[in-house]
Amino acid sequence: MVEMSCRTLIKGIDARGAVTTLANMASARRLAVEICRATRRAVEISIASYAVVALATTASAVAADLPTRHVLTLDAARRVIAAAEAEAQRKGWPCVVAIVDNGGYLIAFDRMDRSPMVASAELAPAKARTAALFGKPTKALEDAVHAGRVAAVTAGFVEMDGGQPLTVNGEIVGAVGVSSAQPDWDIEIASVGAAALSDKP
């Protein structure tokens, strides 16, 4: 539309004889061209500005729709380990404690002196990972296996007592895994560690 208006303006100057001399006609024509160019640039700038504003508005709307979530920090993971280790020491149950994030990746690891099994160094992180990814205590998974769901053991997860999800305001942010000499010890130690985070979100 701007291009057509410019052409009409220039042709009008040439055809209607609005100026009487050749020099004046040329000057008027150049002026019309400059006016058209300036108008075209103004329109282009306006369109670009509108596009930027529209894009920013859309991005803001999308960002507003995205959920926010809690993230398990190293300090929080250490707090869980400290509570679990304190309980283990109080009961005389040396163990290994591992903390993972909600994706099952290790954040913190503690191997107490006199932990009875070398395998605990692998079992504790594996239990934590299972609890985080399934979103439930590993005891529930082991109970399901005992109840006849034996196919669950083929999934590649350690479905043994001692894994406990870590939650903040009902949201799973990670998990704690414990491996000691007995499964009931593992459950108790893990529960105390998990409670330390839930009590202080």
Side-chain angles (χ1 to χ4, degrees), residues 32-64:
V33 170
E34 290 301 323
I35 292 173
C36 290
R37 287 176 179 170
T39 303
R40 190 181 299 116
R41 282 196 298 271
V43 171
E44 291 171 352
I45 291 172
S46 297
I47 293 173
S49 299
Y50 176 80
V52 170
V53 171
L55 182 61
T57 302
T58 302
S60 298
V62 171

PDB file of all heavy atoms in Angstrom, residues 32-64:
ATOM      1  N   ALA A  32       9.560  13.934  -3.399  1.00  0.00           N
ATOM      2  CA  ALA A  32       8.517  12.910  -3.269  1.00  0.00           C
ATOM      3  C   ALA A  32       9.129  11.545  -3.002  1.00  0.00           C
ATOM      4  O   ALA A  32       8.621  10.757  -2.194  1.00  0.00           O
ATOM      5  CB  ALA A  32       7.667  12.875  -4.539  1.00  0.00           C
ATOM      6  N   VAL A  33      10.244  11.263  -3.701  1.00  0.00           N
ATOM      7  CA  VAL A  33      10.928   9.983  -3.492  1.00  0.00           C
ATOM      8  C   VAL A  33      11.421   9.865  -2.048  1.00  0.00           C
ATOM      9  O   VAL A  33      11.282   8.826  -1.397  1.00  0.00           O
ATOM     10  CB  VAL A  33      12.093   9.819  -4.490  1.00  0.00           C
ATOM     11  CG1 VAL A  33      12.946   8.612  -4.123  1.00  0.00           C
ATOM     12  CG2 VAL A  33      11.556   9.676  -5.908  1.00  0.00           C
ATOM     13  N   GLU A  34      12.013  10.947  -1.536  1.00  0.00           N
ATOM     14  CA  GLU A  34      12.522  10.925  -0.152  1.00  0.00           C
ATOM     15  C   GLU A  34      11.394  10.753   0.854  1.00  0.00           C
ATOM     16  O   GLU A  34      11.522  10.046   1.846  1.00  0.00           O
ATOM     17  CB  GLU A  34      13.286  12.225   0.137  1.00  0.00           C
ATOM     18  CG  GLU A  34      14.608  12.354  -0.596  1.00  0.00           C
ATOM     19  CD  GLU A  34      15.552  11.217  -0.264  1.00  0.00           C
ATOM     20  OE1 GLU A  34      15.566  10.773   0.907  1.00  0.00           O
ATOM     21  OE2 GLU A  34      16.254  10.743  -1.173  1.00  0.00           O
ATOM     22  N   ILE A  35      10.260  11.445   0.562  1.00  0.00           N
ATOM     23  CA  ILE A  35       9.104  11.302   1.449  1.00  0.00           C
ATOM     24  C   ILE A  35       8.617   9.861   1.471  1.00  0.00           C
ATOM     25  O   ILE A  35       8.324   9.297   2.524  1.00  0.00           O
ATOM     26  CB  ILE A  35       7.961  12.246   1.014  1.00  0.00           C
ATOM     27  CG1 ILE A  35       8.374  13.703   1.260  1.00  0.00           C
ATOM     28  CG2 ILE A  35       6.666  11.914   1.756  1.00  0.00           C
ATOM     29  CD1 ILE A  35       7.392  14.713   0.724  1.00  0.00           C
ATOM     30  N   CYS A  36       8.585   9.257   0.320  1.00  0.00           N
ATOM     31  CA  CYS A  36       8.132   7.868   0.222  1.00  0.00           C
ATOM     32  C   CYS A  36       9.079   6.920   0.944  1.00  0.00           C
ATOM     33  O   CYS A  36       8.657   5.989   1.625  1.00  0.00           O
ATOM     34  CB  CYS A  36       7.996   7.457  -1.237  1.00  0.00           C
ATOM     35  SG  CYS A  36       6.608   8.265  -2.062  1.00  0.00           S
ATOM     36  N   ARG A  37      10.376   7.174   0.753  1.00  0.00           N
ATOM     37  CA  ARG A  37      11.353   6.324   1.431  1.00  0.00           C
ATOM     38  C   ARG A  37      11.234   6.438   2.950  1.00  0.00           C
ATOM     39  O   ARG A  37      11.296   5.445   3.678  1.00  0.00           O
ATOM     40  CB  ARG A  37      12.773   6.696   0.998  1.00  0.00           C
ATOM     41  CG  ARG A  37      13.112   6.245  -0.419  1.00  0.00           C
ATOM     42  CD  ARG A  37      14.492   6.728  -0.814  1.00  0.00           C
ATOM     43  NE  ARG A  37      14.836   6.280  -2.157  1.00  0.00           N
ATOM     44  CZ  ARG A  37      15.897   6.704  -2.834  1.00  0.00           C
ATOM     45  NH1 ARG A  37      16.723   7.615  -2.268  1.00  0.00           N
ATOM     46  NH2 ARG A  37      16.146   6.246  -4.033  1.00  0.00           N
ATOM     47  N   ALA A  38      11.083   7.677   3.422  1.00  0.00           N
ATOM     48  CA  ALA A  38      10.943   7.888   4.855  1.00  0.00           C
ATOM     49  C   ALA A  38       9.683   7.223   5.385  1.00  0.00           C
ATOM     50  O   ALA A  38       9.670   6.618   6.468  1.00  0.00           O
ATOM     51  CB  ALA A  38      10.924   9.383   5.167  1.00  0.00           C
ATOM     52  N   THR A  39       8.607   7.336   4.615  1.00  0.00           N
ATOM     53  CA  THR A  39       7.350   6.703   5.014  1.00  0.00           C
ATOM     54  C   THR A  39       7.495   5.193   5.079  1.00  0.00           C
ATOM     55  O   THR A  39       7.030   4.537   6.006  1.00  0.00           O
ATOM     56  CB  THR A  39       6.222   7.084   4.039  1.00  0.00           C
ATOM     57  OG1 THR A  39       6.103   8.505   3.991  1.00  0.00           O
ATOM     58  CG2 THR A  39       4.906   6.466   4.474  1.00  0.00           C
ATOM     59  N   ARG A  40       8.187   4.639   4.053  1.00  0.00           N
ATOM     60  CA  ARG A  40       8.384   3.193   3.999  1.00  0.00           C
ATOM     61  C   ARG A  40       9.196   2.709   5.205  1.00  0.00           C
ATOM     62  O   ARG A  40       8.889   1.700   5.823  1.00  0.00           O
ATOM     63  CB  ARG A  40       9.085   2.813   2.698  1.00  0.00           C
ATOM     64  CG  ARG A  40       9.115   1.306   2.445  1.00  0.00           C
ATOM     65  CD  ARG A  40       9.837   0.987   1.150  1.00  0.00           C
ATOM     66  NE  ARG A  40       9.189   1.594   0.011  1.00  0.00           N
ATOM     67  CZ  ARG A  40       9.740   2.535  -0.761  1.00  0.00           C
ATOM     68  NH1 ARG A  40      10.953   2.974  -0.490  1.00  0.00           N
ATOM     69  NH2 ARG A  40       9.084   3.037  -1.782  1.00  0.00           N
ATOM     70  N   ARG A  41      10.264   3.487   5.536  1.00  0.00           N
ATOM     71  CA  ARG A  41      11.094   3.101   6.691  1.00  0.00           C
ATOM     72  C   ARG A  41      10.291   3.146   7.996  1.00  0.00           C
ATOM     73  O   ARG A  41      10.421   2.288   8.850  1.00  0.00           O
ATOM     74  CB  ARG A  41      12.303   4.027   6.804  1.00  0.00           C
ATOM     75  CG  ARG A  41      13.416   3.698   5.801  1.00  0.00           C
ATOM     76  CD  ARG A  41      14.713   4.369   6.209  1.00  0.00           C
ATOM     77  NE  ARG A  41      14.609   5.823   6.227  1.00  0.00           N
ATOM     78  CZ  ARG A  41      14.852   6.595   5.165  1.00  0.00           C
ATOM     79  NH1 ARG A  41      15.218   6.049   4.011  1.00  0.00           N
ATOM     80  NH2 ARG A  41      14.748   7.893   5.257  1.00  0.00           N
ATOM     81  N   ALA A  42       9.445   4.179   8.110  1.00  0.00           N
ATOM     82  CA  ALA A  42       8.628   4.307   9.318  1.00  0.00           C
ATOM     83  C   ALA A  42       7.670   3.128   9.466  1.00  0.00           C
ATOM     84  O   ALA A  42       7.469   2.598  10.559  1.00  0.00           O
ATOM     85  CB  ALA A  42       7.847   5.617   9.286  1.00  0.00           C
ATOM     86  N   VAL A  43       7.098   2.719   8.327  1.00  0.00           N
ATOM     87  CA  VAL A  43       6.177   1.582   8.352  1.00  0.00           C
ATOM     88  C   VAL A  43       6.920   0.305   8.727  1.00  0.00           C
ATOM     89  O   VAL A  43       6.447  -0.513   9.531  1.00  0.00           O
ATOM     90  CB  VAL A  43       5.471   1.425   6.998  1.00  0.00           C
ATOM     91  CG1 VAL A  43       4.687   0.114   6.948  1.00  0.00           C
ATOM     92  CG2 VAL A  43       4.546   2.601   6.735  1.00  0.00           C
ATOM     93  N   GLU A  44       8.131   0.113   8.144  1.00  0.00           N
ATOM     94  CA  GLU A  44       8.913  -1.082   8.438  1.00  0.00           C
ATOM     95  C   GLU A  44       9.296  -1.142   9.915  1.00  0.00           C
ATOM     96  O   GLU A  44       9.258  -2.195  10.547  1.00  0.00           O
ATOM     97  CB  GLU A  44      10.165  -1.126   7.559  1.00  0.00           C
ATOM     98  CG  GLU A  44       9.852  -1.378   6.079  1.00  0.00           C
ATOM     99  CD  GLU A  44      11.086  -1.211   5.205  1.00  0.00           C
ATOM    100  OE1 GLU A  44      12.116  -0.752   5.727  1.00  0.00           O
ATOM    101  OE2 GLU A  44      11.011  -1.556   4.008  1.00  0.00           O
ATOM    102  N   ILE A  45       9.679   0.028  10.477  1.00  0.00           N
ATOM    103  CA  ILE A  45      10.045   0.088  11.887  1.00  0.00           C
ATOM    104  C   ILE A  45       8.844  -0.243  12.765  1.00  0.00           C
ATOM    105  O   ILE A  45       8.948  -0.964  13.761  1.00  0.00           O
ATOM    106  CB  ILE A  45      10.617   1.469  12.247  1.00  0.00           C
ATOM    107  CG1 ILE A  45      11.986   1.657  11.578  1.00  0.00           C
ATOM    108  CG2 ILE A  45      10.743   1.627  13.760  1.00  0.00           C
ATOM    109  CD1 ILE A  45      12.549   3.052  11.721  1.00  0.00           C
ATOM    110  N   SER A  46       7.689   0.271  12.381  1.00  0.00           N
ATOM    111  CA  SER A  46       6.476   0.008  13.157  1.00  0.00           C
ATOM    112  C   SER A  46       6.130  -1.475  13.144  1.00  0.00           C
ATOM    113  O   SER A  46       5.765  -2.053  14.179  1.00  0.00           O
ATOM    114  CB  SER A  46       5.297   0.818  12.595  1.00  0.00           C
ATOM    115  OG  SER A  46       5.560   2.209  12.720  1.00  0.00           O
ATOM    116  N   ILE A  47       6.275  -2.093  11.957  1.00  0.00           N
ATOM    117  CA  ILE A  47       5.987  -3.526  11.853  1.00  0.00           C
ATOM    118  C   ILE A  47       6.961  -4.333  12.704  1.00  0.00           C
ATOM    119  O   ILE A  47       6.586  -5.266  13.408  1.00  0.00           O
ATOM    120  CB  ILE A  47       6.045  -3.981  10.385  1.00  0.00           C
ATOM    121  CG1 ILE A  47       4.891  -3.337   9.594  1.00  0.00           C
ATOM    122  CG2 ILE A  47       5.982  -5.497  10.277  1.00  0.00           C
ATOM    123  CD1 ILE A  47       4.947  -3.592   8.114  1.00  0.00           C
ATOM    124  N   ALA A  48       8.260  -3.962  12.634  1.00  0.00           N
ATOM    125  CA  ALA A  48       9.273  -4.681  13.417  1.00  0.00           C
ATOM    126  C   ALA A  48       9.016  -4.525  14.912  1.00  0.00           C
ATOM    127  O   ALA A  48       9.135  -5.478  15.679  1.00  0.00           O
ATOM    128  CB  ALA A  48      10.665  -4.165  13.060  1.00  0.00           C
ATOM    129  N   SER A  49       8.645  -3.315  15.332  1.00  0.00           N
ATOM    130  CA  SER A  49       8.373  -3.079  16.749  1.00  0.00           C
ATOM    131  C   SER A  49       7.180  -3.895  17.213  1.00  0.00           C
ATOM    132  O   SER A  49       7.195  -4.476  18.308  1.00  0.00           O
ATOM    133  CB  SER A  49       8.107  -1.589  16.998  1.00  0.00           C
ATOM    134  OG  SER A  49       9.235  -0.813  16.646  1.00  0.00           O
ATOM    135  N   TYR A  50       6.165  -3.945  16.365  1.00  0.00           N
ATOM    136  CA  TYR A  50       4.991  -4.732  16.706  1.00  0.00           C
ATOM    137  C   TYR A  50       5.349  -6.206  16.853  1.00  0.00           C
ATOM    138  O   TYR A  50       4.879  -6.886  17.762  1.00  0.00           O
ATOM    139  CB  TYR A  50       3.916  -4.557  15.630  1.00  0.00           C
ATOM    140  CG  TYR A  50       2.703  -5.421  15.847  1.00  0.00           C
ATOM    141  CD1 TYR A  50       1.713  -5.061  16.766  1.00  0.00           C
ATOM    142  CD2 TYR A  50       2.556  -6.622  15.147  1.00  0.00           C
ATOM    143  CE1 TYR A  50       0.611  -5.861  16.981  1.00  0.00           C
ATOM    144  CE2 TYR A  50       1.450  -7.435  15.358  1.00  0.00           C
ATOM    145  CZ  TYR A  50       0.477  -7.043  16.270  1.00  0.00           C
ATOM    146  OH  TYR A  50      -0.606  -7.844  16.477  1.00  0.00           O
ATOM    147  N   ALA A  51       6.208  -6.690  15.946  1.00  0.00           N
ATOM    148  CA  ALA A  51       6.617  -8.097  16.000  1.00  0.00           C
ATOM    149  C   ALA A  51       7.375  -8.393  17.280  1.00  0.00           C
ATOM    150  O   ALA A  51       7.178  -9.442  17.915  1.00  0.00           O
ATOM    151  CB  ALA A  51       7.472  -8.442  14.784  1.00  0.00           C
ATOM    152  N   VAL A  52       8.265  -7.476  17.680  1.00  0.00           N
ATOM    153  CA  VAL A  52       9.034  -7.677  18.909  1.00  0.00           C
ATOM    154  C   VAL A  52       8.113  -7.706  20.121  1.00  0.00           C
ATOM    155  O   VAL A  52       8.239  -8.552  21.008  1.00  0.00           O
ATOM    156  CB  VAL A  52      10.099  -6.567  19.078  1.00  0.00           C
ATOM    157  CG1 VAL A  52      10.717  -6.632  20.472  1.00  0.00           C
ATOM    158  CG2 VAL A  52      11.174  -6.701  18.014  1.00  0.00           C
ATOM    159  N   VAL A  53       7.177  -6.758  20.169  1.00  0.00           N
ATOM    160  CA  VAL A  53       6.236  -6.714  21.292  1.00  0.00           C
ATOM    161  C   VAL A  53       5.383  -7.972  21.336  1.00  0.00           C
ATOM    162  O   VAL A  53       5.150  -8.559  22.405  1.00  0.00           O
ATOM    163  CB  VAL A  53       5.344  -5.460  21.192  1.00  0.00           C
ATOM    164  CG1 VAL A  53       4.223  -5.517  22.228  1.00  0.00           C
ATOM    165  CG2 VAL A  53       6.175  -4.200  21.371  1.00  0.00           C
ATOM    166  N   ALA A  54       4.931  -8.410  20.162  1.00  0.00           N
ATOM    167  CA  ALA A  54       4.097  -9.616  20.107  1.00  0.00           C
ATOM    168  C   ALA A  54       4.881 -10.837  20.566  1.00  0.00           C
ATOM    169  O   ALA A  54       4.368 -11.686  21.305  1.00  0.00           O
ATOM    170  CB  ALA A  54       3.579  -9.833  18.680  1.00  0.00           C
ATOM    171  N   LEU A  55       6.154 -10.937  20.141  1.00  0.00           N
ATOM    172  CA  LEU A  55       6.988 -12.060  20.540  1.00  0.00           C
ATOM    173  C   LEU A  55       7.247 -12.058  22.044  1.00  0.00           C
ATOM    174  O   LEU A  55       7.180 -13.087  22.706  1.00  0.00           O
ATOM    175  CB  LEU A  55       8.321 -12.009  19.783  1.00  0.00           C
ATOM    176  CG  LEU A  55       9.299 -13.159  20.048  1.00  0.00           C
ATOM    177  CD1 LEU A  55       8.668 -14.485  19.650  1.00  0.00           C
ATOM    178  CD2 LEU A  55      10.597 -12.943  19.276  1.00  0.00           C
ATOM    179  N   ALA A  56       7.530 -10.865  22.588  1.00  0.00           N
ATOM    180  CA  ALA A  56       7.783 -10.753  24.025  1.00  0.00           C
ATOM    181  C   ALA A  56       6.536 -11.123  24.823  1.00  0.00           C
ATOM    182  O   ALA A  56       6.618 -11.793  25.852  1.00  0.00           O
ATOM    183  CB  ALA A  56       8.233  -9.345  24.371  1.00  0.00           C
ATOM    184  N   THR A  57       5.377 -10.677  24.325  1.00  0.00           N
ATOM    185  CA  THR A  57       4.128 -10.998  25.010  1.00  0.00           C
ATOM    186  C   THR A  57       3.866 -12.489  25.000  1.00  0.00           C
ATOM    187  O   THR A  57       3.455 -13.080  26.000  1.00  0.00           O
ATOM    188  CB  THR A  57       2.957 -10.254  24.339  1.00  0.00           C
ATOM    189  OG1 THR A  57       3.222  -8.841  24.377  1.00  0.00           O
ATOM    190  CG2 THR A  57       1.646 -10.557  25.058  1.00  0.00           C
ATOM    191  N   THR A  58       4.138 -13.122  23.840  1.00  0.00           N
ATOM    192  CA  THR A  58       3.935 -14.567  23.728  1.00  0.00           C
ATOM    193  C   THR A  58       4.878 -15.319  24.645  1.00  0.00           C
ATOM    194  O   THR A  58       4.487 -16.267  25.320  1.00  0.00           O
ATOM    195  CB  THR A  58       4.164 -15.022  22.269  1.00  0.00           C
ATOM    196  OG1 THR A  58       3.255 -14.313  21.416  1.00  0.00           O
ATOM    197  CG2 THR A  58       3.930 -16.516  22.132  1.00  0.00           C
ATOM    198  N   ALA A  59       6.154 -14.884  24.683  1.00  0.00           N
ATOM    199  CA  ALA A  59       7.138 -15.538  25.556  1.00  0.00           C
ATOM    200  C   ALA A  59       6.739 -15.417  27.016  1.00  0.00           C
ATOM    201  O   ALA A  59       6.876 -16.363  27.796  1.00  0.00           O
ATOM    202  CB  ALA A  59       8.524 -14.936  25.330  1.00  0.00           C
ATOM    203  N   SER A  60       6.235 -14.239  27.400  1.00  0.00           N
ATOM    204  CA  SER A  60       5.809 -14.037  28.778  1.00  0.00           C
ATOM    205  C   SER A  60       4.633 -14.935  29.121  1.00  0.00           C
ATOM    206  O   SER A  60       4.558 -15.499  30.213  1.00  0.00           O
ATOM    207  CB  SER A  60       5.430 -12.573  29.014  1.00  0.00           C
ATOM    208  OG  SER A  60       6.537 -11.723  28.805  1.00  0.00           O
ATOM    209  N   ALA A  61       3.711 -15.073  28.161  1.00  0.00           N
ATOM    210  CA  ALA A  61       2.548 -15.923  28.399  1.00  0.00           C
ATOM    211  C   ALA A  61       2.961 -17.383  28.563  1.00  0.00           C
ATOM    212  O   ALA A  61       2.451 -18.097  29.430  1.00  0.00           O
ATOM    213  CB  ALA A  61       1.555 -15.782  27.247  1.00  0.00           C
ATOM    214  N   VAL A  62       3.914 -17.830  27.718  1.00  0.00           N
ATOM    215  CA  VAL A  62       4.393 -19.208  27.813  1.00  0.00           C
ATOM    216  C   VAL A  62       5.094 -19.429  29.144  1.00  0.00           C
ATOM    217  O   VAL A  62       4.904 -20.439  29.818  1.00  0.00           O
ATOM    218  CB  VAL A  62       5.339 -19.535  26.640  1.00  0.00           C
ATOM    219  CG1 VAL A  62       5.999 -20.883  26.859  1.00  0.00           C
ATOM    220  CG2 VAL A  62       4.569 -19.527  25.329  1.00  0.00           C
ATOM    221  N   ALA A  63       5.960 -18.471  29.538  1.00  0.00           N
ATOM    222  CA  ALA A  63       6.679 -18.589  30.803  1.00  0.00           C
ATOM    223  C   ALA A  63       5.698 -18.635  31.974  1.00  0.00           C
ATOM    224  O   ALA A  63       5.916 -19.350  32.949  1.00  0.00           O
ATOM    225  CB  ALA A  63       7.648 -17.429  30.966  1.00  0.00           C
ATOM    226  N   ALA A  64       4.622 -17.860  31.873  1.00  0.00           N
ATOM    227  CA  ALA A  64       3.644 -17.841  32.955  1.00  0.00           C
ATOM    228  C   ALA A  64       2.936 -19.181  33.086  1.00  0.00           C
ATOM    229  O   ALA A  64       2.489 -19.555  34.165  1.00  0.00           O
ATOM    230  CB  ALA A  64       2.627 -16.728  32.714  1.00  0.00           C
TER     231      ALA A  64
END
